[in-house]
């Protein structure tokens, strides 16, 4: 049974991936500093899978701890690296935190993995690297645009660092997965998204408004050049994203990768407007949502949805859940909080 290190394994996408890995028969060791997660997530993972992953609580910015951890766990066959800060607005206010947290930890990990001869690495990237792409749907060949935020920049720099490492060490194998907009929760409603404070992202804001925690959702702009004037995104169920990580990892472990660095879009290929997302919520919850159109939010792109051909045909993965499925799971999860 191969042992996999999942950094940030108690976070939103990390926890769903730990479940998928354990269900696929992998042994998991999680490193998480609980900076944007909770130890309760571990209980949720155990309740779903009936297996307890190993867990170590330390900060990957602490190089000595990282080195000691990897020395102790010298039987790790692959690493899925989620641990990172991810709030766009916070990254603008505190860029150094983002560069330190997202870049230093990546460098320390890569240094040690290279030293130890551990060669299988999955990197958590984002469609944010494309900025406002010129052509929809977005293929992996679309140019990387100037980053809109320090957060986005850390994903671009992270990919560039991995590319250089893969060039220098042909035995090092990596896959960068560029997520579109992950939403939803595990069908058991035992794990899901846990935003701290006021949510910045659309779906938790909607479900909290539906639950009466927020009074009203603000829709950021209705004068974009889209079908109904609101922005278009590719919302993808987090369990589909989690499954893609297992498939990507198996590809590396089975040495099926064609290049020692591969990049895949993880999206559904379907673009939905903010108003369509609200309709989906109203449909699955049977509730009217209180919302108001306000000004555009700075830094929002008009439209971003994935061309999924490469992920479908080369990786052999396809998103299964619809927007309604994902929204229903998010709503069920919200009702447990
Ligand atoms: C953002 C980041 C992305 C990051 C993702 C997950 C940018 C450009 N992208 O995606 O890199 O990976 O978060 O953390 O910042 N909206 C409202 N009202 C709200 C919240 C959102 O109308 O209260 C709208 C937004 O204008 C947008 C859509 O909903 O059109 C989705 O927003 P959001 O969930 O924040 O995700 P992104 O901005 O697409």
């Amino acid at each position: 049974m191969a042992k996999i290190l999942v950094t940030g394994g108690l976070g939103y996408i990390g926890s769903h991936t730990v479940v998928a890995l354990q269900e696929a028969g992998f042994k998991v060791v999680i490193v998480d500093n609980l900076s944007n997660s909770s130890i309760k997530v571990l209980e949720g993972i155990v309740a779903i899978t009936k297996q307890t992953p190993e867990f170590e609580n330390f900060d990957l910015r602490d190089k000595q701890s990282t080195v000691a951890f990897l020395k102790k766990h010298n039987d790790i066959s692959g690493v899925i690296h989620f641990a990172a800060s991810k709030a766009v607005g916070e990254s603008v206010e505190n860029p150094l935190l983002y560069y330190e947290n997202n870049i230093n930890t990546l460098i320390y990990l890569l240094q040690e993995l290279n030293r130890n001869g551990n060669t299988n690495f999955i990197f958590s990237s984002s469609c944010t690297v494309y900025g406002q792409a010129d052509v929809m749907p977005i293929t992996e060949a679309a140019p990387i645009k100037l980053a809109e935020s320090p957060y986005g920049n850390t994903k671009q720099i992270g990919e560039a660092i991995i590319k250089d490492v893969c060039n220098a060490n042909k035995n090092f194998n990596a896959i960068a997965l560029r997520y579109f907009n992950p939403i939803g929760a595990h069908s058991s409603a035992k794990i899901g998204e846990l935003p701290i404070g006021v949510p910045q992202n659309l779906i938790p804001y909607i479900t909290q408004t539906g639950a009466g925690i927020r009074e009203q959702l603000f829709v950021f702009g209705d004068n974009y050049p889209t079908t109904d004037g609101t922005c278009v995104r590719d919302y993808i169920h987090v369990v589909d994203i989690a499954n893609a990580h297992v498939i990507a990892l198996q590809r590396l472990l089975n040495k099926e990768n064609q290049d020692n660095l591969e990049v895949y879009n993880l999206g559904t290929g379907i673009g939905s407007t903010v108003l369509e997302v609200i309709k989906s919520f109203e449909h699955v919850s049977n509730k009217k949502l209180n919302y108001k159109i306000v000004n555009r939010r700075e830094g929002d792109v008009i439209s971003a949805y994935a061309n999924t051909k490469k992920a479908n045909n080369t990786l052999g993965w396809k998103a299964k859940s619809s927007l309604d499925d994902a929204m229903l799971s998010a709503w069920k999860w919200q009702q447990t909080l």
Side-chain angles (χ1 to χ4, degrees), residues 133-208:
D134 302 319
V135 182
M136 287 300 137
I138 304 172
T139 70
E140 290 81 354
I144 302 292
K145 294 272 179 77
L146 205 63
E148 292 268 358
S149 69
Y151 159 76
N153 209 15
T154 65
K155 291 298 170 189
Q156 295 190 357
I157 295 169
E159 283 198 19
I161 289 172
I162 294 167
K163 190 173 171 201
D164 289 342
V165 169
C166 286
N167 265 335
N169 178 359
K170 292 292 174 204
N171 292 321
F172 191 78
N173 292 280
I175 294 182
L177 298 173
R178 293 177 179 161
Y179 318 144
F180 281 67
N181 289 54
I183 63 164
H186 192 266
S187 58
S188 64
K190 291 189 191 313
I191 54 171
E193 195 169 2
L194 277 174
I196 293 174
V198 182
Q200 306 296 310
N201 295 116
L202 180 61
I203 275 60
Y205 208 109
I206 288 180
T207 57
Q208 288 197 7

Side-chain angles (χ1 to χ4, degrees), residues 88 128 151 181 201-202 218-220 231 233 235 297 300:
V88 174
T128 197
Y151 159 76
N181 289 54
N201 295 116
L202 180 61
F218 303 108
V219 174
F220 298 137
C231 291
R233 296 286 184 276
Y235 296 93
R297 178 172 72 177
D300 269 339

Side-chain angles (χ1 to χ4, degrees), residues 120-330:
N120 299 311
F121 192 78
I122 311 270
F123 182 61
S124 186
S125 191
S126 167
C127 71
T128 197
V129 301
Y130 300 117
Q132 179 57 71
D134 302 319
V135 182
M136 287 300 137
I138 304 172
T139 70
E140 290 81 354
I144 302 292
K145 294 272 179 77
L146 205 63
E148 292 268 358
S149 69
Y151 159 76
N153 209 15
T154 65
K155 291 298 170 189
Q156 295 190 357
I157 295 169
E159 283 198 19
I161 289 172
I162 294 167
K163 190 173 171 201
D164 289 342
V165 169
C166 286
N167 265 335
N169 178 359
K170 292 292 174 204
N171 292 321
F172 191 78
N173 292 280
I175 294 182
L177 298 173
R178 293 177 179 161
Y179 318 144
F180 281 67
N181 289 54
I183 63 164
H186 192 266
S187 58
S188 64
K190 291 189 191 313
I191 54 171
E193 195 169 2
L194 277 174
I196 293 174
V198 182
Q200 306 296 310
N201 295 116
L202 180 61
I203 275 60
Y205 208 109
I206 288 180
T207 57
Q208 288 197 7
T209 306
I213 299 166
R214 311 275 154 217
E215 200 190 324
Q216 193 174 44
L217 168 79
F218 303 108
V219 174
F220 298 137
D222 69 346
N223 55 1
Y224 285 99
T226 62
T227 49
D228 60 24
T230 63
C231 291
V232 171
R233 296 286 184 276
D234 186 335
Y235 296 93
I236 171 163
H237 200 305
V238 66
V239 171
D240 278 324
I241 297 245
N243 290 334
H245 287 77
V246 177
I247 292 171
L249 184 73
Q250 283 164 335
R251 183 173 171 84
L252 294 184
L253 293 174
N254 297 336
K255 304 197 183 308
E256 289 161 352
N257 49 321
Q258 290 156 6
D259 205 339
N260 73 327
L261 173 59
E262 294 184 334
V263 177
Y264 295 100
N265 283 341
L266 297 185
T268 63
I270 298 167
S272 304
T273 67
V274 178
L275 295 180
E276 284 166 348
V277 172
I278 293 172
K279 269 199 203 92
S280 168
F281 172 78
E282 291 183 332
H283 172 66
V284 301
S285 68
N286 228 348
K287 272 175 167 286
K288 272 254 149 279
L289 191 78
N290 183 17
Y291 71 88
K292 179 170 135 190
I293 311 284
V294 297
N295 286 338
R296 291 179 176 196
R297 178 172 72 177
E298 210 186 312
D300 269 339
V301 299
I302 304 163
S303 179
Y305 56 98
N307 180 315
T308 64
K309 272 199 189 113
K310 191 175 173 205
N312 297 164
N313 299 339
T314 310
L315 188 61
W317 163 90
K318 197 175 179 7
K320 290 185 183 137
S321 294
S322 67
L323 177 60
D324 280 356
D325 296 336
M327 190 59 85
L328 181 61
S329 70

